[in-house]
Amino acid sequence: MTFRLVPGTGLVLPANAGVLRFGMTEHAAQWTASTLADIRTGGWMCGVHWTLFFVHRGVLVTAYACTACAEQAMGHLTVERTEGVPDRAADVPVAFGDLDLFGYPIHELAEVLDPSDRKLLLSADVSPQSTQYLSAVRLDVCEGDRR
């Protein structure tokens, strides 16, 4: 039961539910994600063509296409823990390569991730010395309108 972030590709959903691939249309992303959970669409975000989200086992996934995304295709994914920044590892792993991003304190992740990966996955307002665990990660292929 692991979510897998794959740079340049998207998010591999657990339980063989499919892959939310960058470049998908809104309809295709909804169809893929609906194999795992009930999808919620809409919600207003400035500068976004479309957005969808779902919660599965304490993990909130948001996918969207900003106004800079070519042909309104999905260019952004956010994966969040529903309980915020806790003092313990998450029950459901969110993997990036061999690392569980929600399974180790932030300072340990900062030590092992490449600097380019830290920029993509660790929010700028999180101190690398923190003993807290990550609450959210984001993966983008579209350079415009990052949130």
Side-chain angles (χ1 to χ4, degrees), residues 26 40-54 60-69 74-80 137-140 144-147:
E26 178 181 14
R40 304 285 185 250
T41 60
W44 185 81
M45 288 175 74
C46 182
V48 171
H49 285 296
W50 60 265
T51 184
L52 66 88
F53 63 94
F54 65 90
L60 168 66
V61 175
T62 304
Y64 66 95
C66 73
T67 55
C69 292
M74 185 178 77
H76 309 274
L77 284 165
T78 303
V79 181
E80 301 175 63
V137 294
R138 184 177 64 222
L139 197 58
D140 305 292
D145 201 40
R146 290 188 180 183
R147 303 231 174 283

Side-chain angles (χ1 to χ4, degrees), residues 82-96:
T82 56
E83 72 266 14
V85 180
D87 292 325
R88 63 175 183 79
D91 294 332
V92 176
V94 175
F96 179 73

Side-chain angles (χ1 to χ4, degrees), residues 18-134:
V19 180
L20 283 176
R21 293 185 183 281
F22 291 122
M24 284 182 138
T25 65
E26 178 181 14
H27 179 73
Q30 285 180 19
W31 182 261
T32 299
S34 70
T35 62
L36 188 65
D38 290 335
I39 305 304
R40 304 285 185 250
T41 60
W44 185 81
M45 288 175 74
C46 182
V48 171
H49 285 296
W50 60 265
T51 184
L52 66 88
F53 63 94
F54 65 90
V55 176
H56 180 70
R57 296 193 59 188
V59 176
L60 168 66
V61 175
T62 304
Y64 66 95
C66 73
T67 55
C69 292
E71 299 176 15
Q72 296 186 21
M74 185 178 77
H76 309 274
L77 284 165
T78 303
V79 181
E80 301 175 63
R81 299 172 67 159
T82 56
E83 72 266 14
V85 180
D87 292 325
R88 63 175 183 79
D91 294 332
V92 176
V94 175
F96 179 73
D98 293 334
L99 288 175
D100 175 6
L101 296 174
F102 294 163
Y104 297 94
I106 293 168
H107 73 278
E108 290 181 19
L109 291 173
E111 290 174 9
V112 296
L113 287 172
D114 289 339
S116 61
D117 293 335
R118 281 184 235 145
K119 285 191 280 184
L120 289 171
L121 301 174
L122 302 178
S123 62
D125 60 345
V126 176
S127 168
Q129 284 74 36
S130 175
T131 59
Q132 296 287 306
Y133 290 74
L134 282 175

